[in-house]
Amino acid sequence: MNPAFFIAPLAISAVSAVLAALISLTDKIVNNYGEVTININGGKKKLQVNGGAPLLFSLAETGIYVPSACGGRGSCGACTVKVKTDIGPHLPTETPYLTKEQIADDVRLSCQIKVKQDLDIEIPESLFNIRKFTGVVERIADLTHDIKEVYIKLEDGQEANFVAGQYGQFEVPPYAKIRERTQRAYSMSSAPSDKGHLEFLVRLVPGGIVTTYVHEHMKEGEKVNVVAPVGEFHVQDNDSTMICVAGGSGMAPFKSIFNDMIETGKIEERDVWYFFGARTTKDLFYMDWLKELDAKYDRFHFIAALSEPQSDEPWDGETGLITDVLGKYLESVIDQEKTKEGYLCGSPGMLDACMAVMRKHDMKEENIYFDKFA
Amino acid sequence: MKMSPEYTKAQERMQPGVITSDGFLGDDTRPIVDIIAADEQTMTKLGLDFETMCSLMHRLVAEGRKGLGEPVTVQNSWVARVDEARGFLASPFDDGIFRKINVELELAPNGKPTGEKILYSELSLHLIEKHHFFQGKGSPFRLDPAQAKKVLRL
């Protein structure tokens, strides 16, 4: 037999192996940035990290969690950080998510830029308080046909300190065809005083990765991770009339806020109007509790509205889109003379529609508060 | 049909974890040109044209958004629920970014839901409209042309 039959494949294999080794060696040399320093807020924190990873993940490794609604995939635009070091021009994967002002101000998407050199960055100091909690799902309850209440007991020794209205990044494990852990943001619905637990309201979104997991796979007793507390949404400390609007699982921060106001007595000190929109009676929940608050506290007013009440359902409340009902009350029911503040929780479209109604009724944009993370 | 370099790159970007966690191909191992060709053939067999179908789907997105996150009855024929999330998704064909808007559309003649549904997003609608790509079998956002015909009443 011709020895070339054996020699040729061996020679090709040997050359391939040498090339693979060369590529591996080159990769280690070229992409080895060694240990680099991230200097945060003018030296308030200095981190030593191994270079080469995206800034978002390098920060998370050291316990600093920059909010991200997409888990670092570069599709939400939330993980902004000001980078004072010159690291080159903004990437095409960043610019669609940043305003001209942000680009001029050296704001970058931390999931898109890699740590290749020492960096000076600026982040809100509130991010220093965000941490990763581990807990066990103590209870999962059906609130409606598509909303679940998930109550998590934090592991011993962990205490959540948050302000009513803030949110957490809820993490679910890989499942079915999803190969990686996935995080999504949900407002805490538990009261801040319940430091040993975190509660979330999760509405099933068709095709949603985290919501499908919670609704179809999550079990009581299961371990979960939550990065919290995140967000600036909270009740301002003044005596303005609060105009609160939500729909669906947007109820969550208001449950936390109202329970906090009850505990601190503030529910008796200022006027609160809470507008909750749903389609039919089967989409309503917590009604007994909210009606009880309305009856018990003179200054608390609860208005539920159904956009499409069914003919076979008893309903004597408001009907129509929540924005129309809000407009009607701002026009003719709520005291025109008092200063008003808006508090909103819902989808970007719902927020825009509510803000338009509030502006039309002379509410100032700077007095309308929300977290646009939905 | 042959895979051009653009299609090869697009197929790479359709893998799970690149643009979306579950990707655009599901369990389908065919090259995307074959997926597109097969669905174009099905569209012809069903007597459907892309322009009419996509135009109606766009109109239904606009109507569904009026529900502000709640399901809304449209033209006494459908119940549309539009969910919006923060941010955008890039097209795997690198020809634009799209808001994270999902639509679940249920056929409901005279307001009576039938259980017949389709699910699409602003991005998946773009992929159908511009690239005739309905996504691979098993992908959560694959739109089966026959199901689309039934639900959209085309």
Side-chain angles (χ1 to χ4, degrees):
Chain A
M1 188 180 284
N2 190 341
F5 282 115
F6 299 102
I7 294 168
L10 281 173
I12 290 168
S13 299
V15 170
S16 302
V18 170
L19 283 174
L22 273 174
I23 290 167
S24 173
L25 187 66
T26 309
D27 185 56
K28 276 186 181 163
I29 293 166
V30 174
N31 293 325
N32 181 5
Y33 302 98
E35 195 172 76
V36 296
T37 303
I38 303 175
N39 186 355
I40 304 175
N41 295 359
K44 290 214 167 148
K45 267 190 195 268
K46 278 191 180 181
L47 312 173
Q48 303 292 325
V49 299
N50 287 321
L55 177 59
L56 177 73
F57 300 128
S58 295
L59 291 172
E61 269 174 28
T62 58
I64 293 181
Y65 299 97
V66 178
S68 161
C70 67
R73 202 179 303 288
S75 69
C76 72
C79 63
T80 52
V81 165
K82 184 171 179 175
V83 178
K84 297 172 84 178
T85 310
D86 182 7
I87 55 166
H90 285 78
L91 303 169
T93 48
E94 295 177 271
T95 48
Y97 303 98
L98 300 171
T99 63
K100 281 180 186 168
E101 293 75 22
Q102 285 177 310
I103 290 171
D105 202 26
D106 297 322
V107 172
R108 310 293 299 248
L109 283 194
S110 60
C111 68
Q112 295 300 300
I113 54 169
K114 288 192 173 173
V115 181
K116 298 177 179 176
Q117 62 188 95
D118 291 346
L119 292 179
D120 276 337
I121 67 168
E122 281 182 6
I123 58 174
E125 296 207 358
S126 58
L127 298 191
F128 295 155
N129 299 325
I130 300 174
R131 52 181 289 208
K132 193 169 200 167
F133 294 96
T134 50
V136 171
V137 178
E138 194 169 283
R139 185 181 71 242
I140 306 175
D142 286 320
L143 297 180
T144 69
H145 60 103
D146 65 354
I147 298 178
K148 284 189 189 287
E149 181 190 83
V150 182
Y151 193 58
I152 296 163
K153 183 182 188 314
L154 302 181
E155 282 190 343
D156 289 346
Q158 296 186 33
E159 264 196 2
N161 290 298
F162 67 95
V163 179
Q166 287 189 294
Y167 66 92
Q169 304 268 124
F170 195 91
E171 187 180 272
V172 301
Y175 71 100
K177 290 174 189 164
I178 309 299
R179 298 175 192 172
E180 54 198 16
R181 302 187 79 81
T182 309
Q183 278 190 0
R184 290 290 183 271
Y186 298 96
S187 296
M188 266 86 78
S189 54
S190 43
S193 59
D194 186 6
K195 291 181 186 298
H197 294 87
L198 290 173
E199 184 187 81
F200 299 91
L201 308 184
V202 181
R203 186 176 195 178
L204 180 63
V205 175
I209 293 170
V210 172
T211 68
T212 301
Y213 181 83
V214 169
H215 277 256
E216 296 176 8
H217 301 272
M218 182 170 267
K219 300 274 183 290
E220 289 177 354
E222 182 176 329
K223 269 195 167 186
V224 289
N225 295 327
V226 179
V227 173
V230 192
E232 303 296 321
F233 184 60
H234 64 274
V235 176
Q236 304 298 304
D237 190 13
N238 57 46
D239 62 356
S240 300
T241 299
M242 290 171 63
I243 311 291
C244 309
V245 192
S249 55
M251 173 81 83
F254 295 112
K255 182 185 178 191
S256 179
I257 285 170
F258 300 150
N259 275 324
D260 188 48
M261 291 178 79
I262 291 166
E263 287 172 11
T264 57
K266 289 189 176 167
I267 200 135
E268 294 182 277
E269 294 169 8
R270 63 192 292 188
D271 294 313
V272 179
W273 291 83
Y274 179 36
F275 295 87
F276 184 76
R279 181 174 174 241
T280 68
T281 52
K282 72 177 185 146
D283 302 304
L284 294 172
F285 59 102
Y286 293 157
M287 287 299 110
D288 291 345
W289 172 64
L290 289 160
K291 283 177 186 169
E292 191 186 315
L293 298 189
D294 186 298
K296 187 172 179 184
Y297 299 105
D298 288 345
R299 302 181 76 172
F300 183 89
H301 313 277
F302 173 57
I303 316 293
L306 297 184
S307 56
E308 293 186 7
Q310 306 296 292
S311 54
D312 56 349
E313 297 172 332
W315 178 249
D316 56 3
E318 296 287 345
T319 56
L321 280 176
I322 197 65
T323 40
D324 296 336
V325 175
L326 171 67
K328 187 174 92 175
Y329 276 74
L330 286 171
E331 186 83 43
S332 55
V333 181
I334 299 171
D335 190 339
Q336 307 277 323
E337 301 304 315
K338 283 193 176 171
T339 314
K340 291 184 276 294
E341 286 178 341
Y343 293 89
L344 311 174
C345 188
S347 67
M350 182 267 199
L351 298 182
D352 291 344
C354 288
M355 286 177 75
V357 173
M358 288 179 165
R359 283 195 301 264
K360 189 180 165 197
H361 290 88
D362 299 326
M363 289 178 65
K364 291 180 180 164
E365 193 149 340
E366 62 266 30
N367 293 337
I368 303 173
Y369 304 96
F370 54 87
D371 260 327
K372 212 169 184 172
F373 66 77
Chain B
M1 206 178 354
K2 272 196 165 183
M3 289 280 281
S4 66
E6 290 76 20
Y7 275 63
T8 304
K9 194 178 166 197
Q11 185 141 5
E12 283 165 11
R13 287 161 59 86
M14 289 176 184
Q15 299 301 320
V18 182
I19 293 173
T20 63
S21 288
D22 32 22
F24 300 79
L25 298 167
D27 309 314
D28 213 321
T29 53
R30 292 174 294 168
I32 57 171
V33 287
D34 292 348
I35 298 173
I36 291 169
D39 284 328
E40 282 176 336
Q41 216 171 23
T42 307
M43 287 286 283
T44 308
K45 271 189 201 162
L46 293 168
L48 297 174
D49 76 86
F50 284 91
E51 199 181 329
T52 307
M53 188 174 93
C54 293
S55 163
L56 174 57
M57 288 166 76
H58 278 298
R59 282 206 306 278
L60 291 167
V61 176
E63 289 299 321
R65 289 192 79 207
K66 292 178 185 169
L68 306 176
E70 297 302 313
V72 58
T73 303
V74 181
Q75 293 171 13
N76 213 26
S77 298
W78 297 282
V79 174
R81 174 178 158 183
V82 174
D83 289 292
E84 298 181 53
R86 176 182 176 135
F88 301 89
L89 288 172
S91 162
F93 291 95
D94 218 2
D95 59 346
I97 60 167
F98 299 86
R99 289 175 299 175
K100 290 182 180 175
I101 292 182
N102 292 355
V103 186
E104 187 186 64
L105 191 71
E106 181 169 10
L107 182 63
N110 302 314
K112 288 181 182 159
T114 59
E116 295 290 349
K117 295 177 184 179
I118 56 172
L119 175 66
Y120 59 99
S121 66
E122 202 168 72
L123 172 58
S124 71
L125 180 49
H126 164 80
L127 297 178
I128 294 168
E129 190 171 26
K130 300 293 179 204
H131 304 282
H132 296 184
F133 179 61
F134 286 80
Q135 305 197 18
K137 287 180 180 165
S139 169
F141 281 87
R142 170 168 171 82
L143 185 61
D144 177 55
Q147 182 66 6
K149 180 184 168 82
K150 191 190 287 179
V151 173
L152 295 168
R153 304 177 95 175
L154 292 169

